[in-house]
Structures are given as structure tokens and as C-alpha cells.
Amino acid sequence: MLDSDPYALPLKGTAVSQERIDDAGAHLLMLRSLLAEVNESVHRLVPPSSGAWRSSAADGYVRGLDDLRARVLAARDGLVDAESALVDRIRRMEHQLDLQRAALGDQHVQITRSDASWTTR
């Protein structure tokens, strides 16, 4: 499954290139966009129950709504975890690229946090 995703390669190990870091950064921007959309929509999609319903069907609806809310929030938490892991992986890849360049005597400019667009939220 990961092999079919064009952004999965930056998530794997092996040699690092600036292109792989840029691809991972693009993936992070998409992930953050999805996370923002979920955060903006979660309360509208699964509003909290008012507790005012009094029928057995309504009670079942409330339970279903509570279950759906829990699943949506768990998915959102998974996106937050994925964002954190990807940021960490990008930083490790940048460090590895710097080490590779230093080993080869390459004098490319290092990326700083302020230079990388994926670091801002």
C-alpha cells in the first residue's frame, strides 16, 4: 500500500535527498490541511447530544452519535500523531542529509527551521 503512494517513499529509510525531504514536506502540508478540516468540522458533523430525547429510538441515536463522535475524535488524534511523527522524520532526514553532504565534502546550504515552509502551521 505504501509503495503506491508517491509520498510514502520519504517516510521510509535509506538514503536521503533534498527531493525526498521536499516530498515529505508536501505530504506534511496535505496532512495539516486535512487535520485543519477535521478540526473545523468535527463539532458540526457530530454535535454533542442534548440529552433531551426520551424515546428508545432516540436513546439508540444518542449512543450511535456518541460512538461516531468517539471515532471521529480518534481519527483526529491519529492525524495529530501522524503530523508529529512526520515532522520528526523530516528533521531526522534533514540531519541525515547534512551528514551525507559533510561526508562527501559538499558545501550546500543547510535548511533552517525558518527556511522550510512545512515548519509553519
Side-chain angles (χ1 to χ4, degrees), residues 28 31-32 35 77-92 118 121:
L28 181 60
L31 180 65
R32 284 182 171 164
L35 179 58
D77 293 345
L79 290 171
V80 169
D81 292 344
E83 175 191 30
S84 177
L86 186 52
V87 166
D88 184 55
R89 177 64 182 133
I90 290 170
R91 287 187 182 130
R92 288 192 326 260
W118 58 264
R121 197 168 208 199

Side-chain angles (χ1 to χ4, degrees), residues 30-74:
M30 290 187 298
L31 180 65
R32 284 182 171 164
S33 176
L34 178 60
L35 179 58
E37 185 175 337
V38 169
N39 278 329
E40 292 170 7
S41 304
V42 69
H43 301 293
R44 186 177 67 251
L45 293 173
V46 284
S49 61
S50 66
W53 299 313
R54 298 286 182 234
S55 71
S56 61
D59 290 342
Y61 176 76
V62 169
R63 283 190 301 275
L65 190 59
D66 288 343
D67 181 54
L68 177 59
R69 185 179 310 100
R71 290 173 185 241
V72 169
L73 293 176

Side-chain angles (χ1 to χ4, degrees), residues 86-105:
L86 186 52
V87 166
D88 184 55
R89 177 64 182 133
I90 290 170
R91 287 187 182 130
R92 288 192 326 260
M93 287 171 47
E94 288 175 338
H95 179 71
Q96 184 179 351
L97 181 59
D98 290 341
L99 293 175
Q100 286 172 195
R101 286 178 173 165
L104 296 173

Side-chain angles (χ1 to χ4, degrees), residues 15-22 93 97 100-101:
V16 174
S17 67
Q18 187 60 51
E19 181 180 11
R20 287 186 63 208
I21 293 171
D22 293 343
M93 287 171 47
L97 181 59
Q100 286 172 195
R101 286 178 173 165

